Amino acid sequence: MAYTFQFASLVPYLSQFLSGLWLTMLLAFVGIFGGFALGVFCAVVSTLPGLVPRLLVRCYVELMRNTPLLVQIFVIFFALPSLGLRLSPQTSVLVALILNNGGYIAEIVRGGIQATHRSQFEAAESLGLTYLQTLRFVILPPALEKVFTPVVSQCVLLMLSTSLVSAIGVEDLTGAAMIASSETFRTMEVYLVIAAIYVTLNFVFRAILNAAGLLIFTRSRRKLLGRA
């Protein structure tokens, strides 16, 4: 049976799609940069001598990496109120996205730090730098540059994963699509449009993150050469 596409029926929902797109981008950017900061912090802690901090970070990373993001969202939104902590849907998904991304970023960055040759630590120690100073000025910048490509891939994956937030009533891009589909019954048209938007967002986010990385690491190399 031939199917007749009727994309015109989606025009009344254009403002709803734009609102959902804006929320998706906002959630993604907060989740990406918040998770990156948390992940780098946890990666640094995981290399410190103390056993307890390293064990806590290890437990956090394994919990985030071995449970679905949707379950994490449900725990924060539905389970925490039973403990007296009630968060709005938007706040719940932001917390979940940051925690989830932070767990993956921590493991990626930790691998970059551990891949650094021991001679770098010995050279910094001979200059009288503390361990934290060594990480900050000698180890972390090249380690981040080394693992930046998988970091970008993880961040783009997080952006795509924001589609799960519609499960608790957050009207992101997918949430707007679900409403339009239920009211127009033009499921094919709705999700083809949404899929095209997500593909476009994928390329946009990759371009932005790669440009940011190129700018940051180029400046870092210039500063290092200037000091030398």
Side-chain angles (χ1 to χ4, degrees):
M1 184 176 66
Y3 184 86
T4 303
F5 288 95
Q6 298 180 16
F7 289 99
S9 61
L10 305 184
V11 173
Y13 296 89
L14 181 59
S15 62
Q16 203 165 354
F17 286 161
L18 291 175
S19 177
L21 174 61
W22 166 250
L23 183 56
T24 291
M25 294 178 65
L26 178 62
L27 293 174
F29 274 114
V30 174
I32 287 171
F33 291 106
F36 180 79
L38 178 61
V40 171
F41 172 77
C42 290
V44 170
V45 172
S46 68
T47 66
L48 295 177
L51 177 61
V52 174
R54 287 191 287 113
L55 184 59
L56 290 175
V57 169
R58 188 76 252 162
C59 291
Y60 157 67
V61 169
E62 292 302 320
L63 180 63
M64 292 298 107
R65 295 176 69 237
N66 292 288
T67 56
L69 175 58
L70 185 60
V71 172
Q72 296 167 15
I73 293 173
F74 283 170
V75 168
I76 294 173
F77 184 66
F78 292 116
L80 288 186
S82 63
L83 301 177
L85 181 59
R86 186 177 300 277
L87 302 175
S88 68
Q90 289 83 358
T91 303
S92 297
V93 298
L94 281 175
V95 171
L97 291 172
I98 291 173
L99 290 177
N100 180 270
N101 196 37
Y104 284 93
I105 296 296
E107 191 67 5
I108 294 172
V109 176
R110 183 183 68 86
I113 294 174
Q114 292 185 337
T116 304
H117 198 274
R118 182 62 191 171
S119 60
Q120 298 288 336
F121 290 94
E122 294 173 352
E125 185 178 356
S126 67
L127 293 174
L129 298 179
T130 65
Y131 185 75
L132 290 179
Q133 287 175 328
T134 300
L135 285 175
R136 166 66 181 84
F137 297 107
V138 179
I139 305 302
L140 204 52
L144 288 175
E145 185 172 8
K146 189 182 303 181
V147 300
F148 193 71
T149 298
V151 165
V152 169
S153 296
Q154 167 56 32
C155 290
V156 172
L157 181 61
L158 180 81
M159 182 275 294
L160 297 175
S161 299
T162 58
S163 59
L164 296 174
V165 306
S166 59
I168 60 171
V170 177
E171 290 189 19
D172 68 323
L173 188 57
T174 300
M178 293 171 64
I179 294 172
S181 176
S182 65
E183 293 181 356
T184 63
F185 300 102
R186 309 306 302 182
T187 304
M188 179 70 76
E189 291 88 335
V190 168
Y191 288 107
L192 281 177
V193 170
I194 297 306
I197 294 175
Y198 275 116
V199 170
T200 304
L201 283 177
N202 173 48
F203 289 107
V204 169
F205 271 74
R206 283 187 185 277
I208 292 174
L209 293 173
N210 284 325
L214 182 64
L215 180 63
I216 292 170
F217 295 125
T218 300
R219 285 185 175 180
S220 296
R221 286 195 295 269
R222 286 175 179 172
K223 287 182 179 179
L224 185 61
L225 291 173
R227 289 173 182 172

